[in-house]
Structure formats: structure tokens, C-alpha cells
Amino acid sequence: MKILVTGGLGFIGSHTVVELQNEGFEVVIIDDCSNADVKVLEGIQAITGKLPLFEKIDLRDKPMVAAFFARHQDVEGVIHFAASKAVGESVEKPLLYYENNIGSLVYILQELSKKEKARFIFSSSCTVYGQADEMPITEDAPVKAAESPYGNTKQMGEEIIADTCKVTPGLHAIALRYFNPMGAHPSTEIGELPIGVPQNLVPFITQTGMGVREQLAVFGNDYPTPDGTCIRDYIHVVDLARAHVVALQRLLNAKNEQNYEVFNVGTGKGSSVLEVIQSFERVSGEKLNYKIVDRRAGDIVSAYANTKKANEVLGWKAQSTLDEAMKSAWDWEKKVRNN
């Protein structure tokens, strides 16, 4: 069975390709390599023993998208990761984000709508909740006005998929709202390798630990949390990847009768910035050079998932601890820097 993974050379995409191939799926990857390296294919092959098909395509090019589906009429499911994802950049370049994140989604859905049967999984985000009124956050929490064009593309993406499913009986879709992915494959063959200055906390921590970054800035210690720093739900990327496989299997088994569903994907436990730093210091044996600075505009106080729906409906649950995820991230960072 052939599955298309867009953005399959990226951090979450590559780990999902590994899990799909380990489950016996045939995978074809589309990536434009704007934020990923084609060498990731070698890492996937080293882990699974199989090189996935790969096509370098810019999904903003509608004729190229149509031509791909004409060549691969046996694609039975799509997992859609491809998107621009830097919040700060999205504020500076909103039209780039709307073109890339919304245009590519529409073109793929147009092709899938022509099929008698199609299965689609959307890479969404907990950013759709903003600062939720209650913790942990359930899927029924209100979707609030987005803080950035990036967040808005995730909200709009979900709405576009839901609207399309309403009028396309053969299309069955699931949106997975991720919390904070971190870590790397235990083989250290693939992991998170941001281009330029990391936007996420964990790679900034590991790069600081390796001396690539001089110091980590902790934005504020006066939040209404136990230690004053922001709280997030950090999930091991391998656990997150496995959630996609389970969701795909649900779609292929035609168990989602309403044909569009949403699931939170997290650990169900919040960890503060200082707790994440302490986790790094435990697993690495290193003291991290960090400094408390002023709050950063737009940061919410706390966000962690209620995962009951995913646990019960999908039969999925995060397995790894924060320390296990952190150790994998540190092992990956050391390998990358020492090569």
C-alpha cells in the first residue's frame, strides 16, 4: 500500500516515514528541500533497510502536484507535513506562509477529491488553542484567534479539510494537534537539525550544551507557574510518529464514520522550561549556561494536552519520558557535531 508523505525529509516527517516502513507501507516522499537535507534519505534507509521513493516538488506548483498524482494513481493515503513553520518569520512574511501552507493543502485536497477513496492526515498544532482557559487541554477547547499567520494557517487548514470532507464522502481525514515534539531516533541516524538559529527550546539547549550557542535565554521567570517559567507538553518524536501510523490505520479500516476527526497528541504532562533544562543536565552530566531574560511577546503561560481521546479511540499513548526524549536529542546532537 503506497502512502505519500509530504515534507518527509523534515524532523517529524522523516521519523514518520521510518515508522510507516517498519509497518510494511510503501512510502513516497515529496519535499522541496527548502528546510531539509536529501541526506536524510540515507538515515531512513540505514534504520529500515529500505530507501523510500523521493520526488523533489514545490507543492505550490499546481501542475506539478497534478502530474505527481497522475503518475502515482495508487497512492491510497497522504500524511501532510509540508509547511513553513517559523512563527516569527510568519509575522514578517505572512503572504509567503499563506501561499505555502494553504495553497499546497488545497492543491493536494483537489487531487484527493477526484479519487473514489482517499485517506488524509493533517499535521496540525496545539497553537490553535492559544492560551486555553483550562488545563489539560481537550479537543473541545475553543479555537482562539491565532497569535501569528503560522497559527492561522493551521486553523484555516483544519477548516478547509473539514469543509472538503463534508462534500466528499470518499475522503476520510484526521487532524493531529501536536504539542511540543523533541528528541531523535534512538539509532541517531535521524533527528532534529534546524537550519540557522533554532526556533525550538530543545535544539537550542543541546546546541548550547555543545558550545554551538553561547547561552540559552529563558524568557521570563515571573509567570504564574510553580517555578515561574512557561509550561509545555514535550513529546518524543518517535511517539508522535507512531501516532500517525495508528491514525492512518484507523482511516484505512474505515473506522471514522463522520469522516473528519481531531486528536491531541502529547504526553498529558506539562514541563516547565527550567524542568527541561534540569532534564538536560541530568542526562548529559553538563551544566547548561542559561540566563533569565524578559518575557517574550506572544508566549502563552501553559499548554499541555488531555490525551484521553487519542488513548481511547486510537489506542495510542506516549511511551517515553522527558529524560528519555532528552537523552536521544543529546545523543543526536553529539553525533552531528562530532562527525
Side-chain angles (χ1 to χ4, degrees), residues 55-215:
E55 295 201 23
K56 186 176 179 181
I57 292 174
D58 185 338
L59 291 169
R60 293 174 296 183
D61 188 325
K62 184 175 180 177
M64 286 187 74
V65 174
F68 170 86
F69 279 95
R71 288 194 305 275
H72 297 275
Q73 295 185 19
D74 54 343
V75 165
E76 295 193 38
V78 177
I79 303 180
H80 184 49
F81 294 104
S84 301
K85 61 177 184 177
V87 171
E89 183 185 53
S90 78
V91 175
E92 297 166 5
K93 303 175 181 178
L95 293 179
L96 171 70
Y97 273 65
Y98 289 121
E99 179 190 33
N100 197 27
N101 295 8
I102 300 301
S104 61
L105 172 65
V106 168
Y107 297 156
I108 290 170
L109 289 175
Q110 284 175 335
E111 295 303 316
L112 292 182
S113 297
K114 299 172 185 176
K115 290 177 168 285
E116 188 176 329
K117 266 187 180 182
R119 306 294 180 252
F120 186 80
I121 295 175
F122 181 58
S123 167
S124 191
S125 167
C126 65
T127 58
V128 302
Y129 298 117
Q131 178 57 68
D133 300 322
E134 295 180 8
M135 292 294 141
I137 302 169
T138 71
E139 289 84 354
D140 295 326
V143 171
K144 297 191 174 181
E147 300 285 338
S148 68
Y150 163 74
N152 202 26
T153 64
K154 292 302 180 185
Q155 292 183 7
M156 293 170 66
E158 288 194 12
E159 291 168 2
I160 289 166
I161 297 162
D163 287 344
T164 306
C165 285
K166 285 176 186 174
V167 296
T168 316
L171 177 63
H172 287 240
I174 288 176
L176 298 180
R177 292 173 175 168
Y178 315 154
F179 281 68
N180 292 67
M182 62 175 287
H185 195 271
S187 66
T188 68
E189 293 289 348
I190 55 174
E192 187 170 12
L193 191 60
I195 295 172
V197 179
Q199 300 289 320
N200 297 331
L201 175 63
V202 173
F204 210 115
I205 286 175
T206 58
Q207 288 190 15
T208 304
M210 284 299 292
V212 178
R213 307 289 160 194
E214 185 179 344
Q215 189 177 63

Side-chain angles (χ1 to χ4, degrees), residues 50 60 231:
K50 185 177 182 182
R60 293 174 296 183
I231 290 174

Side-chain angles (χ1 to χ4, degrees), residues 300-314:
I300 60 175
V301 178
S302 180
Y304 57 97
N306 180 320
T307 60
K308 183 179 180 183
K309 184 179 179 184
N311 300 160
E312 294 181 355
V313 177
L314 294 179

Side-chain angles (χ1 to χ4, degrees), residues 134-339:
E134 295 180 8
M135 292 294 141
I137 302 169
T138 71
E139 289 84 354
D140 295 326
V143 171
K144 297 191 174 181
E147 300 285 338
S148 68
Y150 163 74
N152 202 26
T153 64
K154 292 302 180 185
Q155 292 183 7
M156 293 170 66
E158 288 194 12
E159 291 168 2
I160 289 166
I161 297 162
D163 287 344
T164 306
C165 285
K166 285 176 186 174
V167 296
T168 316
L171 177 63
H172 287 240
I174 288 176
L176 298 180
R177 292 173 175 168
Y178 315 154
F179 281 68
N180 292 67
M182 62 175 287
H185 195 271
S187 66
T188 68
E189 293 289 348
I190 55 174
E192 187 170 12
L193 191 60
I195 295 172
V197 179
Q199 300 289 320
N200 297 331
L201 175 63
V202 173
F204 210 115
I205 286 175
T206 58
Q207 288 190 15
T208 304
M210 284 299 292
V212 178
R213 307 289 160 194
E214 185 179 344
Q215 189 177 63
L216 172 73
V218 175
F219 297 105
N221 65 346
D222 58 349
Y223 286 94
T225 62
D227 64 19
T229 61
C230 293
I231 290 174
R232 301 288 184 270
D233 187 337
Y234 295 91
I235 177 171
H236 196 306
V237 65
V238 174
D239 282 334
L240 177 55
R242 288 173 180 153
H244 290 81
V245 178
V246 172
L248 178 63
Q249 288 167 336
R250 176 174 175 80
L251 293 176
L252 293 171
N253 294 330
K255 288 184 178 177
N256 65 332
E257 293 173 7
Q258 63 266 52
N259 93 327
Y260 176 67
E261 295 176 293
V262 173
F263 294 92
N264 286 339
V265 185
T267 66
K269 180 182 184 299
S271 300
S272 71
V273 175
L274 290 182
E275 286 175 330
V276 177
I277 291 171
Q278 290 158 8
S279 172
F280 169 78
E281 292 180 338
R282 275 194 303 274
V283 303
S284 69
E286 307 277 346
K287 291 298 290 182
L288 191 73
N289 182 23
Y290 70 91
K291 180 182 180 182
I292 306 293
V293 299
D294 291 340
R295 290 187 183 191
R296 181 171 56 182
D299 276 347
I300 60 175
V301 178
S302 180
Y304 57 97
N306 180 320
T307 60
K308 183 179 180 183
K309 184 179 179 184
N311 300 160
E312 294 181 355
V313 177
L314 294 179
W316 170 90
K317 187 172 185 177
Q319 302 296 321
S320 297
T321 65
L322 176 63
D323 280 4
E324 289 167 342
M326 182 62 76
K327 184 178 185 306
S328 70
W330 181 233
D331 288 345
W332 163 252
E333 188 72 49
K334 287 187 292 184
K335 178 184 178 181
V336 169
R337 301 303 165 187
N338 292 330
N339 273 357

